Amino acid sequence: MSSKDQNSASILSFQKGRYVFTDHLEEVHPEGVTVPFLTAKAILMVSDDGLIKGDVATVKISDLILKQSTFIDDDGKVIEAHKLYVWPRNLGSTKEWTANKQEFLNEFVLNFPIEVISLDESNGVTWKYITPENFKKIPEGMDVSASFKDYVEHQNEYFFLRRPLKEPK
């Protein structure tokens, strides 16, 4: 994974909607911030001022596992999202925290369709896994970008994973 500075204007925060993170999981070090965050490229269908938009964009994926975020499993059990991954032995090591978050996101989030159900004002989100079939249902009259149109035209070339069989952590 590359570690680089990105223009934070090009990185989206979560909105309510459906996402599949496909690649480019990267560590980002914004100027003046001591703890890096992680971003990844996603195919997304989100609600924006009552409109549903389809796009392919870079999203701040590490918000899924913030202390303020919540994961809902298939049985409706609510789990604090930061408890989904294994914390490092050295709690003071930013490098180890970042590595453990990357490992979790690579194994349990990349290529698994998810739905963001609600947003918290502190950047936390409530999310759950959804099926690939559910993700691939495209709403009528959706506002789509050129990159999303390309995804729709080549949808049969995309293979998304189902909810992981084993529980995280």
Side-chain angles (χ1 to χ4, degrees):
M1 303 306 139
S2 70
S3 174
K4 64 182 186 178
D5 292 312
Q6 280 188 2
N7 177 353
S8 54
S10 66
I11 299 170
L12 300 180
S13 292
F14 281 103
Q15 294 175 279
K16 286 183 184 181
R18 296 179 280 170
Y19 297 78
V20 173
F21 289 92
T22 55
D23 54 10
H24 299 297
L25 180 62
E26 294 184 349
E27 188 178 323
V28 178
H29 296 268
E31 200 171 312
V33 176
T34 55
V35 178
F37 59 85
L38 299 164
T39 63
K41 187 170 119 185
I43 301 167
L44 52 106
M45 288 176 264
V46 296
S47 211
D48 189 16
D49 290 331
L51 285 171
I52 298 179
K53 290 173 39 178
D55 201 357
V56 176
T58 300
V59 179
K60 194 173 171 185
I61 191 173
S62 53
D63 284 358
L64 287 175
I65 51 177
L66 289 174
K67 186 170 176 56
Q68 310 87 295
S69 291
T70 305
F71 169 72
I72 300 175
D73 74 8
D74 287 346
D75 298 326
K77 183 178 165 193
V78 174
I79 301 167
E80 292 175 48
H82 73 286
K83 292 182 177 178
L84 293 173
Y85 65 95
V86 178
W87 295 1
R89 284 204 176 98
N90 177 0
L91 295 179
S93 169
T94 299
K95 188 177 182 180
E96 286 181 44
W97 276 107
T98 303
N100 288 10
K101 289 175 187 177
Q102 279 182 329
E103 183 181 334
F104 171 79
L105 294 168
N106 264 320
E107 188 172 340
F108 292 104
V109 178
L110 253 55
N111 299 308
F112 290 96
I114 65 166
E115 181 175 1
V116 171
I117 300 163
S118 65
L119 307 169
D120 186 296
E121 61 270 356
S122 60
N123 292 340
V125 298
T126 298
W127 63 281
K128 66 179 183 176
Y129 291 108
I130 59 174
T131 65
E133 294 82 8
N134 190 338
F135 181 82
K136 289 182 176 185
K137 290 179 190 161
I138 312 263
E140 290 287 321
M142 189 166 70
D143 181 24
V144 299
S145 68
S147 52
F148 190 85
K149 267 186 194 157
D150 187 64
Y151 156 70
V152 172
E153 290 169 5
H154 299 97
Q155 215 180 31
N156 60 342
E157 297 170 23
Y158 286 83
F159 178 77
F160 301 134
L161 301 170
R162 296 191 177 278
R163 183 182 198 286
L165 294 175
K166 63 177 184 163
E167 287 296 316
K169 200 168 185 176

